[in-house]
């Protein structure tokens, strides 16, 4: 192949990570690696399905939906291990439940009947896991008084800061980047629960990419932490290393979705 196309359906504040990895892969492979950044994430996801995007960073929930299809077109590539000590060197992440700092909410249970935003229904951290946790609590029908689909974690955070909602659950890696980029908002939010760990969003590759090239890409990413330039790129991205993962790593998401499907989040 003369060119590889790379995209991400993670939060917009993580696009720069995918772009940096595209540049690194291009240098190592000696072929053009283009990061597709312009379309909204819904269009990027369609590009994954059609193969227009050869390599993608996707949430664990759409990963299991795609890989479990009879006509599966992707395979696992690698998963990131984040640098932050809270991840303990594992390919995992968390969902942080946040409220406004001046509110009197201290536990997730305090949000019964209140206003809640989730990012979008194909998200594990923002939607699937929220419903799973409610199932674990025995809350199956309308725990929240009002719910809204924000469209992204960052928009949900914006709604919270504006006082338009009372709580939301955000991918911990997304929240860490947002607080690093906007430290002024740190004092305006407060974490009242942490859910997880969950299997971290993986990188996948389309099967139309020749198998020898798929293997080369995988080896380059797995060896980044032992390459001086790769190590510098990883450090800048807050990633400790990439690691091999198997499909069974994502079974917890499948199991949580089965229970989550029994739950209706709100009354409207």
């Amino acid at each position: 192949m003369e060119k590889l196309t790379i995209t991400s359906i993670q939060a917009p504040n993580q696009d720069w990570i995918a772009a940096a990895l595209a540049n690194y892969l291009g240098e190592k492979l000696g072929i053009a690696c283009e990061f597709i950044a312009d379309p909204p994430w819904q269009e990027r996801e369609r590009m994954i399905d059609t193969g227009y995007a050869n390599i993608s960073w996707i949430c664990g929930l759409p990963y299991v939906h795609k890989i479990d299809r009879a006509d599966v077109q992707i395979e696992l590539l690698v998963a990131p291990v984040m640098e932050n000590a809270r991840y303990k060197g594992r390919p995992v992440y968390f969902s942080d439940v946040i409220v406004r700092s001046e509110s009197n909410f201290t536990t997730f249970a305090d949000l019964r009947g209140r206003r809640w935003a989730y990012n979008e229904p194909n998200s594990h951290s923002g939607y699937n896991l929220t419903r799973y946790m409610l199932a674990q609590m025995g809350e199956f029908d309308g725990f929240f008084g009002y719910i809204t689909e924000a469209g992204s974690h960052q928009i949900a955070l914006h709604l919270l800061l504006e006082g338009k909602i009372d709580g939301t659950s955000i991918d911990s890696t997304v929240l860490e980047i947002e607080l690093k980029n906007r430290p002024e908002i740190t004092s305006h939010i407060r974490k009242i629960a942490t859910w997880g760990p969950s299997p971290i969003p993986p990188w996948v590759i389309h099967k139309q990419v020749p198998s020898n090239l798929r293997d080369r890409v995988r080896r380059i990413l797995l060896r980044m932490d032992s390459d001086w330039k790769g190590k510098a790129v990883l450090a800048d991205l807050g990633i400790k290393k990439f690691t091999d993962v198997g499909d069974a790593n994502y079974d917890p998401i499948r199991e949580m979705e089965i229970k989550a499907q029994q739950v209706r989040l709100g009354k409207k």
Side-chain angles (χ1 to χ4, degrees):
M1 298 182 72
E2 296 181 356
K3 181 176 80 170
L4 285 174
T5 51
I6 298 171
T7 197
S8 167
I9 58 170
Q10 295 298 98
N13 73 359
Q14 294 180 319
D15 276 354
W16 64 286
I17 296 177
L21 289 171
N23 290 335
Y24 180 77
L25 278 173
E27 290 181 15
K28 286 295 181 178
L29 290 168
I31 61 175
C33 288
E34 176 191 356
F35 175 57
I36 303 170
D38 291 335
W41 67 264
Q42 295 91 338
E43 180 59 28
R44 297 189 206 181
E45 184 165 7
R46 285 190 285 271
M47 291 176 176
I48 296 170
D49 294 333
T50 63
Y52 186 84
N54 305 130
I55 299 171
S56 311
W57 189 16
I58 67 175
C59 176
L61 187 60
Y63 162 73
V64 299
H65 290 166
K66 294 178 190 301
I67 207 75
D68 289 346
R69 293 175 185 168
D71 61 341
V72 56
Q73 296 295 313
I74 59 169
E75 67 179 32
L76 276 173
L77 191 56
V78 293
V81 174
M82 305 309 291
E83 188 68 53
N84 194 304
R86 73 187 297 195
Y87 304 111
K88 299 181 179 179
R90 301 168 295 168
V92 299
Y93 74 126
F94 298 90
S95 294
D96 290 330
V97 179
I98 58 172
V99 297
R100 292 188 307 283
S101 57
E102 71 273 15
S103 72
N104 59 2
F105 307 120
T106 59
T107 69
F108 178 63
D110 292 337
L111 292 171
R112 181 192 307 274
R114 309 301 296 194
R115 301 167 300 169
W116 179 265
Y118 62 90
N119 54 337
E120 52 94 8
N122 211 22
S123 165
H124 175 67
S125 59
Y127 186 71
N128 190 50
L129 190 51
T130 300
R131 294 186 303 158
Y132 171 77
M133 295 305 298
L134 287 171
Q136 295 295 95
M137 294 165 60
E139 297 283 353
F140 295 96
D141 192 18
F143 176 80
F144 300 110
Y146 171 82
I147 59 167
T148 185
E149 180 181 338
S152 73
H153 282 307
Q154 286 165 281
I155 295 175
L157 176 59
H158 178 72
L159 292 174
L160 181 70
L161 290 169
E162 286 200 330
K164 294 180 178 178
I165 59 169
D166 299 303
T168 189
S169 170
I170 295 187
D171 175 325
S172 58
T173 66
V174 174
L175 184 58
E176 287 160 7
I177 291 172
E178 199 66 13
L179 293 180
K180 181 180 179 181
N181 292 343
R182 301 170 61 198
E184 70 278 4
I185 70 174
T186 304
S187 62
H188 296 285
I189 63 172
R190 180 165 44 84
K191 189 190 309 180
I192 60 170
T194 294
W195 298 334
S198 295
I200 199 162
W203 284 79
V204 299
I205 192 165
H206 202 276
K207 289 185 175 181
Q208 72 178 10
V209 177
S211 59
N212 63 331
L213 183 52
R214 298 202 301 266
D215 290 342
R216 285 183 65 198
V217 171
R218 184 176 288 108
R219 285 196 302 270
I220 288 169
L221 292 174
L222 290 174
R223 294 173 181 172
M224 274 188 78
D225 60 317
S226 59
D227 168 64
W228 70 268
K229 189 166 187 178
K231 196 168 184 177
V233 172
L234 290 174
D236 189 48
L237 303 180
I239 299 173
K240 184 175 184 178
K241 64 178 181 178
F242 285 103
T243 189
D244 248 329
V245 286
D247 183 63
N249 286 77
Y250 293 87
D251 282 346
I253 290 179
R254 293 182 173 96
E255 294 162 6
M256 284 186 269
E257 186 181 26
I258 291 171
K259 294 184 178 179
Q261 288 172 340
Q262 305 172 57
V263 173
R264 187 167 67 98
L265 283 182
K267 304 187 186 308
K268 66 176 182 175

